[in-house]
Amino acid sequence: MAISVNTMRAIDHWVGVPLCAVASPLVALIDSVKNLFTRGPETPKKLLFIELSEMGSAILVDPAMRNAQARGAELYFLIFKSNRASLTLLNTVKPENIFTIDSSSLGGLIKDTLRFLWLARRHHIDTVIDLELFSRFTALLTGLCGARRRVGYHIFHGEGLWRGFMLTRKVHYNPHIHITKNFLSLIHAAFAKEIEVPFSKIHISDSEVRLEQAIINPAVLEKVRERIEKQASEAGIEYVHGKQRLILINPNASDLLPQRRWAQQRFSELIQSVNTQYPHDLILITGSPAELAYVEKVRVVANVKNALNFAGQVTFAELPPLYTLSDVMVTNDSGPGHFSAVTPLRTVVLFGPETPALYGSIGNSIAITANLACSPCVSAANHRKTPCQDNVCMQAITVAQVLDKVQIQLQDADKAKGR
């Protein structure tokens, strides 16, 4: 049985806090002994990133990873096994340098954790960057993996979540700049010649937030196109790619933060409105295989012939080809909004308990948010756990607002494609 998000949070708190308290002086003692007898490399040579639970972060951290790579570091990455595929969209890290932890059971979690700590030493990792903002588990992995240079976010005089004293280079997390710039500040700290308190006293320009585009295999692109046309034909829909637009609606039913969901009914109403505006275009309602029933309910309520349930019809590796074939996508604040950024696809992303100022897509995206006084209500200080059971921030977003942004994005897509 898979470990639930709330169970993992409880373990992280009740087990993580005492373990961090015990491990902190032990790590400090080991550092002192090492410094007496050996010296590490002056700059990072083998650099490990730790980001376990957020698939979208594998895209948002890519500019930082390429920055480290350009400075001469060999890259490694640690991620939950279930999220490993997110690193294949851009292939910045070599497959053999990706370590995984199976979070589907407590036994698997413990076994893979111990295996990682052994592998990190075997590969002689000299620098580790903890990308997490609040996880004591990743703090422990950072402190115990044997790396001499350990970089991450520290609360200093704040009253955020205490994670012990595992870091050798402490960076202040800035909640007023985009997360991609926060990740780049960690790279500066890792390569800095002088110790600062706190790191990183630099300006990070918008031009440094550059995202590579996925390399699309023409054969896979053709395979996905044929699959779409076949499913449309079987539903009695006349669709030829290039002749009609392809519009993606991603209602996303993730349990990680359910307050991010726009209501199923609203998505159904949006599909009806899009079909009224663009009656000849094809609408694909997307999702994972596990979201098939959720997506089907959206489709049935919409009752639009040109809208197909496409949940589970493409593999993760086929997402970039699907996005490349499509003209626009509407999605909740979730992974697809970030995955699509590695393609030319234009997106409309709906934000509620999070803010696009910090976590907005860095692709061709328009964010919609109600800007309520209570939002964002999840942060690094509360383990991204909100007491809210009534997501008015999402309910306040209207179908008319979303349709307006869809029209803008489709106009730009038409211009780009010479329609």
Side-chain angles (χ1 to χ4, degrees):
M1 181 180 294
I3 305 175
S4 71
V5 173
N6 284 334
T7 299
M8 293 183 74
R9 284 172 174 153
I11 293 173
D12 194 77
H13 175 75
W14 295 108
V15 179
V17 170
L19 283 181
C20 283
V22 171
S24 290
L26 176 62
V27 169
L29 177 62
I30 293 172
D31 282 346
S32 299
V33 173
K34 279 185 177 180
N35 291 335
L36 286 175
F37 298 101
T38 60
R39 289 186 60 188
E42 294 184 1
T43 59
K45 300 300 180 185
K46 294 191 172 186
L47 191 155
L48 169 76
F49 291 88
I50 299 180
E51 173 61 73
L52 299 177
S53 59
E54 286 285 346
M55 294 184 76
S57 292
I59 301 300
L60 293 172
V61 74
D62 198 74
M65 291 198 295
R66 291 181 185 271
N67 185 300
Q69 202 171 48
R71 295 173 186 245
E74 181 179 3
L75 305 185
Y76 295 78
F77 209 104
L78 175 66
I79 193 167
F80 279 148
K81 185 178 180 180
S82 58
N83 296 333
R84 188 187 191 280
S86 61
L87 292 170
T88 65
L89 292 182
L90 291 173
N91 291 310
T92 307
V93 183
K94 294 186 292 187
E96 61 268 27
N97 286 0
I98 299 174
F99 308 135
T100 61
I101 291 178
D102 186 356
S103 61
S104 63
S105 68
L106 185 58
L109 186 73
I110 294 172
K111 183 187 73 172
D112 283 353
T113 296
L114 296 175
R115 181 174 179 270
F116 159 72
L117 295 177
W118 172 73
L119 284 172
R121 286 170 169 78
R122 181 185 174 191
H123 285 270
H124 305 291
I125 302 295
D126 58 73
T127 304
V128 58
I129 292 182
D130 182 3
L131 299 170
E132 293 277 4
L133 304 176
F134 42 72
S135 166
R136 284 122 184 165
F137 180 45
T138 60
L140 287 162
L141 294 173
T142 299
L144 299 174
C145 73
R148 296 175 66 91
R149 186 183 287 102
R150 302 184 299 275
V151 186
Y153 300 113
H154 188 70
I155 61 171
F156 294 101
H157 298 294
E159 296 187 5
L161 296 169
W162 185 77
R163 305 202 304 159
F165 303 96
M166 307 291 179
L167 305 175
T168 61
R169 300 191 171 207
K170 301 169 184 177
V171 177
H172 168 66
Y173 170 70
N174 186 344
H176 305 289
I177 62 175
H178 197 274
I179 191 65
T180 52
K181 292 187 176 183
N182 274 293
F183 288 159
L184 282 162
S185 73
L186 295 175
I187 301 300
H188 172 78
F191 284 87
K193 300 295 185 183
E194 303 292 334
I195 297 296
E196 297 177 311
V197 181
F199 291 91
S200 300
K201 298 173 183 178
I202 59 167
H203 171 71
I204 300 173
S205 66
D206 292 343
S207 63
E208 294 183 62
V209 183
R210 297 186 302 271
L211 189 63
E212 296 293 321
Q213 295 291 282
I215 298 173
I216 307 298
N217 184 320
V220 178
L221 189 76
E222 182 66 13
K223 182 180 177 182
V224 173
R225 183 192 65 78
E226 290 176 352
R227 193 177 308 154
I228 295 169
E229 291 184 352
K230 180 175 183 292
Q231 186 164 334
S233 177
E234 291 173 348
I237 303 169
E238 184 180 339
Y239 172 76
V240 178
H241 178 70
K243 187 176 179 181
Q244 292 108 329
R245 297 181 186 88
L246 186 59
I247 299 169
L248 305 183
I249 304 293
N250 184 67
N252 189 269
S254 170
D255 291 327
L256 187 61
L257 188 60
Q259 291 83 356
R260 291 187 295 191
R261 298 175 187 162
W262 205 38
Q264 286 179 325
Q265 179 66 34
R266 290 287 180 89
F267 275 111
S268 298
E269 292 171 3
L270 176 65
I271 290 168
Q272 292 169 342
S273 297
V274 168
N275 182 69
T276 299
Q277 188 74 28
Y278 306 100
H280 303 296
D281 296 333
L282 180 63
I283 301 170
L284 297 183
I285 316 173
T286 61
S288 69
E291 294 167 349
L292 185 66
Y294 190 93
V295 168
E296 182 62 13
K297 183 175 180 181
V298 172
R299 187 196 68 80
V300 169
V301 172
N303 193 28
V304 168
K305 180 182 177 181
N306 283 6
L308 300 178
N309 184 341
F310 209 65
Q313 295 300 305
V314 292
T315 65
F316 193 89
E318 291 173 329
L319 283 179
L322 173 64
Y323 294 154
T324 301
L325 291 167
S326 304
D327 293 280
V328 69
M329 174 171 67
V330 178
T331 179
N332 290 320
D333 166 31
S334 57
H338 299 300
F339 304 148
S340 59
V342 303
T343 73
L345 179 65
R346 285 161 171 78
T347 62
V348 178
V349 183
L350 315 183
F351 280 85
E354 289 278 19
T355 169
L358 291 178
Y359 293 101
S361 168
I362 52 178
N364 296 320
S365 184
I366 295 176
I368 299 179
T369 179
N371 285 316
L372 301 188
C374 61
S375 183
C377 61
V378 295
S379 70
N382 63 16
H383 219 303
R384 295 185 74 191
K385 189 173 183 179
T386 174
C388 179
Q389 299 298 318
D390 183 18
N391 64 342
V392 174
C393 56
M394 295 300 293
Q395 298 166 36
I397 298 174
T398 67
V399 171
Q401 281 180 289
V402 180
L403 181 62
D404 177 65
K405 302 308 181 187
V406 168
Q407 291 171 327
I408 292 172
Q409 292 290 55
L410 282 176
Q411 287 169 7
D412 289 343
D414 286 347
K415 289 177 184 177
K417 296 182 179 181
R419 290 188 181 129

